[in-house]
Amino acid sequence: MSARSQRGWAARTDVGRIRSHNEDAVLADPPLFAVADGLGGHEAGEVASHIAVETLRDHAPRRPDASALRRAVRAANREVIRAAREGIGRWGMGTTLTAALVHGTRLTIAHVGDSRAYLLHGGVLSRLTEDHSVVADLIRAGRMTEEESRSHPNRSVITRALGTDPDLKIDVYEVDASAGDRLLLCTDGLTVALLDEQIREILAANREPEAAVRALVDAANDAGGIDNVSVIVIDLSADDTAGRGVRERERALRVAVTAIGWLVAAALILSGISFLTYRYARSRAFLIAEPDGTVSLYRGVPGSIGSVELRWLERRTSVRVSELPPARQAELAEGRVFDSVDEARAFLDALETPGAR
Ligand code: MN
């Protein structure tokens, strides 16, 4: 079980009452949000769902760009297929993926499988996604009612998933919502347990997103908790809080980089470091563990020369030092030096590829 809350959104995933492990994965990294429901059993389903959300996070755009989001889902699909082929997880593992980019009231949604996105607008709950499942096909063909589908033995058989088809068809939607609307992303652990009307009532009754996700998970568990359940609730506002935060960080970074340029020039002169030393440092690169436990790539050299640090951030990554072999952890704590940025990049690419560590 995990919970995370910040202004305007909350996310929660829960193993349920019956299963021994949670094969769902959730991602809440504004402006990007996603749920994934892994298939394939223990040591496969959760591998697939986590690879999917992590690859999505690494590739997704930070702006409302439907085709870039589609490409990111495609990359996630490729990664799940590749992982299965290379023996990470199991052959035949797969995952659903329902992702949303939230920029104010502008939603960009990508979707594969039977997890869902819902929008609560003016007290009315509507589905933004169509299930890719056997029973959904039967309902669309008029051969089954929604009511009948709920007890159908094949209700959880899906017709599209990441991890099977390299040419996977991905649904992408752009939605103009309104301020005050509420977006819900969820796995089928919620929708198998609760009717849309019950979901609507809970969303309407709980003002805080954190309270809403708790109440939804509790209700699914009270209804039997037969599956893993994951929910993300996001309150939409006209001012693009998530997007603005990103833009402000980017602007602050640009200002800082300019200021650092001048400071380096002044410091070089003051500390008597020659231009040759400076140029040498510029030609080198290193990878180092950041205080937050991730790995970053810098141009320059670790440590300091005189009192001056000659390092320029090239790339922050989501590679976690703690997930690497002990020998790698030790060298990254000190900083591993390379003759060129390209060499460091190649090494980093290998680190970022699960299984090649
Ligand atoms: Mn499920």
Side-chain angles (χ1 to χ4, degrees), residues 5-10 33 182 208-210 233-237:
S5 178
Q6 217 165 280
R7 30 159 218 261
W9 61 268
F33 299 87
R182 184 168 256 195
E208 290 300 319
E210 184 60 44
V233 168
I234 305 141
D235 283 335
L236 307 181
S237 57

Side-chain angles (χ1 to χ4, degrees), residues 1 12 14 17 211-224 229:
M1 187 184 299
R12 180 166 276 260
D14 190 272
R17 293 260 164 88
V213 295
R214 274 174 194 279
L216 288 168
V217 168
D218 288 349
N221 282 334
D222 289 345
V229 56

